[in-house]
Amino acid sequence: MPHSSTPESAAAVEPEPIVYLNGEYLAQSQARVSVLDRGFLFGDGVYEVIPVYGGKPLRLNEHLNRLQRSMGRVSMSDPLSREDWKAVFQDLLDRNPGADRSIYLQVTRGAAPLRDLSIDDDIQPTVFIMVNAIKLIDYAKIEAGIEAITVEDFRWKACDIKSVSLIANVMVRLLANQSSAVDAIMVRDGLVTEATASNVFVVHKGVIATPPNSEHLLPGITRDLVIELAQSNGFELIERDIQASELVTADEIWLTSSTREIAPVVKLDQRPVGGGVAGDSWKKMITLYKEYKQALRNG
Ligand code: PDD
């Protein structure tokens, strides 16, 4: 067979993503950041991940509120107005057409002339945004559940900041992957905090619980949505401290995030959770979540 480019193979080549970097729209491979950028040198930056369904960002204002909160916590000022953020997102979504997508944005403190922990007030923040495809979520696959382990939470006491300094999360995720689990639920002083990139819910006899927001966990947007959906649909849900020992007796454990939605944990530390399959409360909650997404698409 001659080695030629057929129309089929040409059509299979994905167009290169267009990203936003400091006011410019560029092909991803052309985007460059200085080696002196404090995001690169110190992990000195914050980020957000915003899912987009049918062209509509889910809980956009809540994500932008959290971004502002993260920036406030690290004494960075917001480089764009809310209207500008929204306009850039729309531009970028238009330039990267597709079905379900997620917006990743990160703001670092920028590049100073010298590597120095002290902050040079004259530097400009680096603003980077990209759009990624969300693979069509296969709910049958989600229902099959995931395996997790528990790990001591050795992170700092500022986990409420959505910081790009994620080395501890990387280390914990590695521990999980090395024991053939997909994630780890972290425990600090005997209490459940969160997973490496998700919040945690437990269900006991139909009552749902999740740890209260604190400096030990990220105030998840999906977490808030699940709480709202539970409350407006007659579930009993309590925000309270969860002892690590309750993970062993839980009927259900869920991990929630913008990209994972609501994932049932069916095996924890090699033991089945509840009946070892996704539970009834999860089935009801995922139905409500899907309906919420559909309403967003239709709205
Ligand atoms: N992570 N906790 C941590 C440590 C997280 O990194 C995330 C999200 C969450 C859930 O937050 P939300 O529901 O707002 O997505 C909780 C994103 C998805 C990520 O890092 O890719």
Side-chain angles (χ1 to χ4, degrees):
M1 279 266 291
H3 198 85
S4 68
S5 165
T6 62
E8 285 82 0
S9 65
V13 176
E14 292 279 327
E16 191 178 355
I18 302 296
V19 302
Y20 172 95
L21 182 63
N22 298 330
E24 284 188 280
Y25 293 93
L26 301 161
Q28 187 171 277
S29 60
Q30 300 305 307
R32 296 278 180 280
V33 177
S34 164
V35 291
L36 287 177
D37 195 281
R38 294 175 62 100
F40 178 62
L41 294 176
F42 304 131
D44 187 4
V46 298
Y47 77 108
E48 278 296 324
V49 180
I50 310 167
V52 179
Y53 300 113
K56 315 243 177 56
L58 185 132
R59 303 234 141 175
L60 180 54
N61 281 322
E62 287 80 354
H63 280 279
L64 289 172
N65 290 344
R66 187 173 64 185
L67 176 68
Q68 274 204 316
R69 185 182 180 283
S70 293
M71 289 195 287
R73 291 271 281 124
V74 299
S75 308
M76 275 170 61
S77 45
D78 196 335
L80 297 180
S81 70
R82 188 154 292 220
E83 289 326 302
D84 286 345
W85 278 115
K86 291 183 180 175
V88 175
F89 295 158
Q90 194 52 59
D91 246 346
L92 212 49
L93 289 169
D94 293 343
R95 288 166 195 257
N96 294 278
D100 293 347
R101 286 162 288 165
S102 68
I103 297 167
Y104 173 89
L105 73 94
Q106 89 169 45
V107 185
T108 76
R109 213 180 297 268
L114 288 174
R115 180 185 178 277
D116 184 351
L117 278 179
S118 298
I119 298 164
D120 177 340
D121 288 333
D122 294 334
I123 62 173
Q124 294 301 312
T126 301
V127 180
F128 170 63
I129 316 173
M130 63 181 167
V131 167
N132 294 306
I134 298 183
K135 276 183 265 138
L136 197 63
I137 301 230
D138 178 348
Y139 287 99
K141 223 169 170 183
I142 295 188
E143 184 165 357
I146 58 173
E147 184 175 347
I149 58 169
T150 49
V151 170
E152 176 66 26
D153 192 344
F154 55 80
R155 300 174 303 160
W156 62 342
K157 289 187 184 166
C159 295
D160 55 315
I161 302 169
K162 200 157 173 60
S163 159
V164 296
S165 316
L166 287 170
I167 197 164
N169 303 54
V170 170
M171 290 165 70
V172 174
R173 178 69 72 88
L174 183 62
L175 285 174
N177 294 160
Q178 283 168 339
S179 61
S180 81
V182 301
D183 210 338
I185 294 176
M186 292 181 274
V187 174
R188 181 193 280 266
D189 299 330
L191 299 178
V192 173
T193 57
E194 60 181 345
T196 60
S198 314
N199 293 109
V200 179
F201 287 75
V202 297
V203 184
H204 282 97
K205 298 188 173 53
V207 180
I208 309 167
T210 193
N213 282 333
S214 73
E215 72 275 25
H216 298 313
L217 53 108
L218 189 80
I221 306 295
T222 320
R223 171 189 179 278
D224 285 351
L225 178 52
V226 167
I227 293 173
E228 266 178 51
L229 289 173
Q231 287 170 344
S232 52
N233 287 279
F235 288 82
E236 204 178 327
L237 185 145
I238 313 166
E239 290 178 70
R240 63 162 176 83
D241 287 340
I242 296 172
Q243 304 286 333
S245 56
E246 295 180 55
L247 293 171
V248 181
T249 54
D251 299 318
E252 300 182 33
I253 301 174
W254 312 334
L255 303 186
T256 65
S257 83
S258 295
T259 44
R260 190 173 254 162
E261 302 191 352
I262 312 168
V265 177
V266 294
K267 215 177 190 193
L268 185 71
D269 294 331
Q270 322 279 336
R271 284 191 297 265
V273 174
V277 291
D280 287 343
S281 297
W282 175 82
K283 283 182 191 152
K284 289 180 197 151
M285 188 54 73
I286 199 71
T287 304
L288 294 171
Y289 194 87
K290 281 199 253 181
E291 284 169 5
Y292 184 89
K293 276 171 61 181
Q294 196 52 43
L296 179 72
R297 278 200 178 92
N298 298 341

